[in-house]
Each structure stands twice: as structure tokens, then as C-alpha cells.
Amino acid sequence: MWALISIQEDSRESTAVAIENGDHLEKVVKISNLNKIFKSSSGTRVAVRNLSLRIYKNRITALLGHNGAGKTTTMNIIIGMTPRTSGRIEVDGEDHASNYRQQIGFCPQHNVALGYMSCREHLVFFGALRGMSIPEAEREADDILEKVNLADKSDEVLANLSGGMKRRLCLANAIIGRTKLLILDEPTSGLDPESRRDIWDILLRLKKDHTILITTHFMEEADVLGDWIAIMENGELIAFGTSIFLKHYYGKGYTLKLLKGSAFDRDRVMSKIREHISGAVEKPAVEPVFAVTLSYICMEQYSALLEELETEKEAYGIESISVTNATLEEVFLNSSSDNKALENERSFDVVDSPGRSGSIDSSAPHSATLHSAKPHESLLLKLQLLSQYKAIAYKKYLHIRRNLHVYLFMSILPIVTTVLCFLLSGGYSSTDYGVVKLHHSTVQGAFAVIILNGNDRPIELASIRNETYFRNLDLVLLEEQNIEDYLLQEAKRDIMCYRHRLVAAIEFNVSEGSLKILHNNNLLHSAGIAANIGSNLLLHYYGYPGVEVLVKNSPSTRRMQLDSITPYVFTEEIALVFMLYILQFLQLPL
């Protein structure tokens, strides 16, 4: 069952790695020649190199390695969070992450939990994300809470849980949803010894129904939990097997520990030990312990040695005797090698997404056909997306229910702010200027020029002065002249009078039946006043004495004016209101 494999790669020296064969066991995960190379402006870095690993069903596999050895990267590649550069991964017969991702439960190194949700609601949410209906997830949540010893805390929110309970909750989140493979990244990190033991007990129970892959820096944890131990260094697998296999391969032997008394004779004791086991070697130990390494090949002599030491314990000055096997820490340290040179390789990243294969493994020429779309895959993908949307909507519903006052405030605040902006700014103000009489009396010292050409009626132009309308208006009455020529002469004679007193200049050509009215743009309402003078001129000329036309200006609409603060409101305050309206998107199921 045990095998030692020597791997020769390119021109490098052969590297011996200890690999125990487990082909008689059912494999859930098969990793073959996995590589991951990260590229950056400073160059390339090999995170995983030619990794081949098997993870067996209903077993706990502990993945060990120093910081930066590639453990977390390997996990992320398995679950599809990180694209692989090359290689092949199969999980339960599927070699594409989109097909097997729902079967994996992942518990990251740091707690992933929402403070406003209870333990039970967490499980329902994650179960719904994996395709379960809400009622089905609620039923399974109760069973899983029982498994992780959180049944009595099912209605407690995150703030009321201890550190150990939070880790158990994250573990429960990874379990729910009919998962087959649990990937746990340092599940007991930061926990006290009692909480760590609780997690161990839970994992040992869970492996009856799940296959588990964990990473840890606690050698004792890996020794207790790990049915199989994998050790990585610089992205490569350097050892894989059961704890016993690795201890026999990398360990130097059992350790004999003697608690020294006051009469302990070191030389005599060491001589007696070497009589039975010639290859015994003293190893450093903390006083008052005397430690000796006993080779595995001399195990048959152990009983005689221990019997004699026990019998002559007082004579040798020994207070107690114990024998321990090599520790997993010794295995980890002895398996480590710092002289492995890594090469930078040309590579390309591929993302685990439908329709694209991330493998360039020549041993799998049929992978393209495996990844080709099947008729039902599109429907399954849509159903998964619908289930995930329902899960997110459920989470948002819980958040709104827990923070109802916040959402009410978010809904009311934009409306109130909008109303206040308009009320405080005054908006538009209306001004009623009343009726304006368009009469020459509104202009101080007003005078007008009237020229009559082609008079065919027995009427004297001077009689106009006697009309009521033309009283208090200085008139210049002329006949048979051109109005433009006269105005040019008048402007030259007295420009100030021309600009500020002349309200109208009228030329009445009787024979042509035309009336030319000119008004002064420098005077307010001069156009209306000039037209009014012309109308009254026509009435007098055609025989309607004592009749006059009075023109008034009454605007049909009120003039709308902005007050001084309104522009500020619309440029500053209304912008704030629209920002508050954007907050309404937070109420969507995101």
C-alpha cells in the first residue's frame, strides 16, 4: 500500500517525494498536473506547480504547507474562484467548475456572515443560493444546526455568538444545500482549545456524509483529523499519505523520554540503551527530561529495553518513562526542502466558465465534448439563477425587516426634502402690474408730427388741436411733405428733444389710402401711443368729432419671476434630493 515515487523533471535533479497509494478508495476529487502562474508588472510567480492529488470519499484530507505554499490558491482553483493556468480537475466525475460548484461547500479563513440575520436565516439563505426552495432550506437548516451544536442558538443574531459559534455557523453555511465536498480554509484559526475541540468533533461526525479538505497550521489538528495528509512546498506536492506512513518515512524513530531524578546517571543510562539498540541517538530536551531517538528498525528490542529500565528505574535515577512516536511537526519539518528552484513558464489564464475549458492536459482529449453545451444545461442554469435571485430577495427582505426604521427614513427623506426645497425657496413669484393706459400724457412734454398729403376733404388740419384727445400734446402739423426728411432735419436741430419727447411721427397719404406711423424706441410704450394717435387722427379726418379711441395695455398672463434664492435651491438642494432618491436602489434585492 505504501510507495515511494521518484520524479525526474527536465534537467533538474531528481526529487524524491513520499506518496502513499490509495487507489483502492473511491475518489471524489482528482487533480492532475495543475499549474497556476500569476503575472504582474514585476514578472511571473508560480503559485501551484504540477500538482497531482487525490481526495478520497468520506475521508478528511489535511493540506499542510508554509505561508505562500499554494494551499489557498489550490482551494480557490478547485471551487472555481481562481482560473487555472493548466491542468485538470475532476469533482465527482465533472471536470468543469460550473457543473460541480453547487456540490462544494466552502468555509473561508475569515467568517462570512451577516450581522442582521439569525443562524437559521443564514442557513436558509445559503441553501437557497444552492438551489433549494425556501421551505426545503428551512427544514434542512434545523438538522444542520443540530449537527453543529447550534440548535439552541438558531434565532440568535451574529452579535450574540462567540468566536467558536461563528466558526460553527460558517461551517453550517458550507454544509447546507446537499453538498458532497467541504473545503475548509483553517476552520479553527483563532479559536481557544475548547472551541477547537468542538470543531474537531463536528468534522469527525460530518465525514460520514461528506468528503472534507482542510488546511491548517496546527500539526496536532492535522494529526487528529487527517485520514490523509498532503504537504505542499513552493506550489508543489512533496508528501502525501496517512499520518502513520509519513511518520515512518520522515520520522527518525520513536522517542524515549525519561524524567530524571536526583541520582540520574546519564552515561550509564545511555550505555544501557545502546546495549539493546545500537543506533540510539540522544536528542535535545527540556530539563529534567532526557530524550533518546530509537530507530524503527530496532522495534523488536523495545520491549526488552523498556522492561529493564522499568525494573532498574530507581538504580538509574529515573522517575518516569514514556515512549512517543514521531510527531507530524517533525514530518513537516523533515519533508521541507529549501533548495528547489522554480522556473518561470509561459502560460495563459483560463476562466472556469461555461463553454471554455481551463485544461490543456493532453491526457484528456475528450474534454471539449464534455464541456459542450447540453440541451438541458441552459435550463438548469436559468433555474439556478432564479433560485439565487430568490435567495438574494429573501436576504433583502430580512434586512428590511430588521432595519425597517432605516428604510422608512430612506423612503420619506427624499420626499420631505423635495417639498422643503420648494417651500423654502419660494419657487416662482407672480407680479400683477395692472392696466397701463397708452396715452401721450404719460410722456412729459410729449409732442408729435402729423403730415397730411393729398387732402381731398374740406377740413383744416389745425382743427385737430381742438379735439379732446390731442389736448396737452404739442403737435407739428404739416402738409405735402415727406416724414423721413422732416425727422432728419428735426434730429439735427435738437437731438435731445427728438430722442426724449417725440412720441409719434405720422404721414397720412389720403390719395394712396396709406397711413405711416413711426414710433420712438427710446420711450416706453411709444408704439402703442403712436398707434393710438393715428387711430384718433383717422376718426377726426373722416368726420367723427368728439369721438376718441383710448388704448390700454392689460397683459393676458402674469409675469413670472424667480426670487433670489431659487437658483441656489435648484443647483444645490435639488441635486441633494436626487442623491437621496438614488438611495432607494438600496432597497432592491442586491
Side-chain angles (χ1 to χ4, degrees), residues 18-283:
I19 304 294
E20 185 177 1
N21 190 350
D23 288 343
H24 62 290
L25 300 174
E26 183 179 352
K27 304 170 187 65
V28 173
V29 180
K30 298 179 184 178
I31 302 175
S32 302
N33 301 320
L34 180 64
N35 290 276
K36 177 59 186 177
I37 300 177
F38 289 101
K39 293 182 178 180
S40 64
S41 58
S42 59
T44 59
R45 181 177 67 85
V46 179
V48 180
R49 181 186 180 88
N50 294 333
L51 177 66
S52 295
L53 181 65
R54 303 293 183 263
I55 300 175
Y56 301 111
K57 185 176 181 180
N58 299 128
R59 302 291 192 278
I60 297 178
T61 301
L63 187 59
L64 306 180
H66 57 78
N67 291 328
K71 306 185 299 298
T72 300
T73 300
T74 301
M75 286 184 165
N76 290 338
I77 293 174
I78 293 174
I79 63 180
M81 290 177 60
T82 301
R84 59 188 182 273
T85 301
S86 64
R88 183 180 178 85
I89 299 175
E90 288 187 27
V91 177
D92 200 25
E94 297 285 350
D95 64 348
H96 205 262
S98 61
N99 295 332
Y100 62 69
R101 188 179 285 118
Q102 294 291 335
Q103 303 180 40
I104 298 177
F106 179 56
C107 179
Q109 184 174 352
H110 303 288
N111 294 329
V112 177
L114 302 170
Y116 57 86
M117 293 172 63
S118 66
C119 295
R120 192 168 185 268
E121 290 167 347
H122 272 94
L123 268 63
V124 173
F125 170 62
F126 282 97
L129 282 180
R130 294 193 176 100
M132 303 178 71
S133 65
I134 299 297
E136 186 181 5
E138 289 176 343
R139 289 192 297 271
E140 186 171 340
D142 294 331
D143 296 335
I144 293 177
L145 288 172
E146 196 71 44
K147 290 181 180 179
V148 298
N149 302 330
L150 284 177
D152 58 333
K153 300 291 183 179
S154 60
D155 295 325
E156 296 288 345
V157 295
L158 193 67
N160 298 332
L161 303 180
S162 65
M165 292 177 183
K166 291 176 183 178
R167 291 306 288 168
R168 278 184 274 160
L169 175 60
C170 291
L171 180 58
N173 293 337
I175 297 170
I176 195 168
R178 296 181 291 270
T179 55
K180 295 182 180 180
L181 174 64
L182 299 182
I183 297 180
L184 315 177
D185 193 0
E186 301 187 27
T188 62
S189 176
L191 299 183
D192 59 84
E194 183 178 356
S195 299
R196 188 178 300 127
R197 293 282 179 177
D198 290 340
I199 298 291
W200 292 0
D201 293 339
I202 293 170
L203 293 179
L204 291 173
R205 292 196 302 268
L206 287 175
K207 77 174 185 177
K208 296 177 183 178
D209 303 311
H210 296 81
T211 301
I212 302 175
L213 173 65
I214 68 169
T215 63
T216 182
H217 289 294
F218 296 109
M219 296 299 114
E220 181 189 5
E221 180 172 275
D223 205 358
V224 171
L225 298 178
D227 299 301
W228 293 81
I229 310 294
I231 301 177
M232 291 183 67
E233 183 183 59
N234 298 326
E236 294 181 290
L237 182 69
I238 60 174
F240 178 70
T242 62
S243 177
I244 295 176
F245 167 78
L246 295 178
K247 287 177 180 179
H248 277 77
Y249 182 77
Y250 287 107
K252 297 179 180 179
Y254 283 90
T255 299
L256 173 64
K257 294 183 179 180
L258 307 176
L259 182 61
K260 297 185 291 186
S262 58
F264 181 78
D265 188 339
R266 176 190 170 281
D267 294 334
R268 183 183 174 193
V269 170
M270 196 65 196
S271 176
K272 176 57 65 175
I273 293 174
R274 284 177 174 162
E275 286 181 11
H276 293 271
I277 302 174
S278 58
V281 178
E282 183 181 355
K283 62 185 298 186

Side-chain angles (χ1 to χ4, degrees), residues 456-485:
D456 59 354
R457 294 177 66 85
I459 183 172
E460 293 185 4
L461 188 59
S463 63
I464 296 177
R465 300 179 188 275
N466 299 323
E467 295 290 338
T468 303
Y469 179 81
F470 293 101
R471 292 173 184 173
N472 301 321
L473 175 63
D474 291 339
L475 289 174
V476 178
L477 304 175
L478 303 172
E479 294 188 25
E480 307 302 331
Q481 291 193 28
N482 182 275
I483 189 66
E484 286 86 355
D485 294 339

Side-chain angles (χ1 to χ4, degrees), residues 365-552:
H366 62 285
S367 61
T369 59
L370 289 176
H371 297 163
S372 61
K374 298 178 182 178
H376 65 281
E377 286 185 357
S378 177
L379 178 60
L380 290 176
L381 180 60
K382 291 179 180 178
L383 291 176
Q384 288 179 3
L385 291 176
L386 178 61
S387 178
Q388 290 171 358
Y389 184 85
K390 289 180 179 178
I392 295 173
Y394 173 76
K395 177 177 73 72
K396 178 55 67 173
Y397 161 73
L398 293 175
H399 190 269
I400 293 175
R401 195 175 72 179
R402 296 286 191 277
N403 302 276
L404 189 59
H405 59 291
V406 175
Y407 282 90
L408 288 175
F409 181 76
M410 286 169 51
S411 300
I412 296 173
L413 181 61
I415 300 173
V416 173
T417 308
T418 304
V419 173
L420 287 177
C421 284
F422 281 100
L423 291 178
L424 296 178
S425 68
Y428 289 102
S429 61
S430 62
T431 302
D432 189 357
Y433 290 97
V435 177
V436 179
K437 184 168 65 173
L438 302 182
H439 194 269
H440 56 78
S441 60
T442 59
V443 179
Q444 185 177 5
F447 81 95
V449 178
I450 298 177
I451 297 177
L452 181 64
N453 296 326
N455 185 9
D456 59 354
R457 294 177 66 85
I459 183 172
E460 293 185 4
L461 188 59
S463 63
I464 296 177
R465 300 179 188 275
N466 299 323
E467 295 290 338
T468 303
Y469 179 81
F470 293 101
R471 292 173 184 173
N472 301 321
L473 175 63
D474 291 339
L475 289 174
V476 178
L477 304 175
L478 303 172
E479 294 188 25
E480 307 302 331
Q481 291 193 28
N482 182 275
I483 189 66
E484 286 86 355
D485 294 339
Y486 178 80
L487 291 177
L488 290 174
Q489 295 175 7
E490 184 66 21
K492 290 180 180 179
R493 187 183 65 82
D494 189 350
I495 187 63
M496 295 302 293
C497 180
Y498 174 80
R499 289 175 60 87
H500 299 294
R501 294 179 56 202
L502 179 60
V503 294
I506 301 173
E507 181 180 332
F508 183 21
N509 296 304
V510 178
S511 59
E512 297 178 2
S514 65
L515 183 68
K516 182 186 294 185
I517 302 176
L518 303 178
H519 66 90
N520 189 348
N521 285 333
N522 294 314
L523 298 178
L524 185 63
H525 301 308
S526 66
I529 295 173
N532 195 10
I533 294 174
S535 299
N536 283 276
L537 172 63
L538 291 176
L539 287 173
H540 176 78
Y541 183 79
Y542 286 108
Y544 295 95
V547 179
E548 66 179 47
V549 177
L550 181 61
V551 179
K552 295 181 179 180

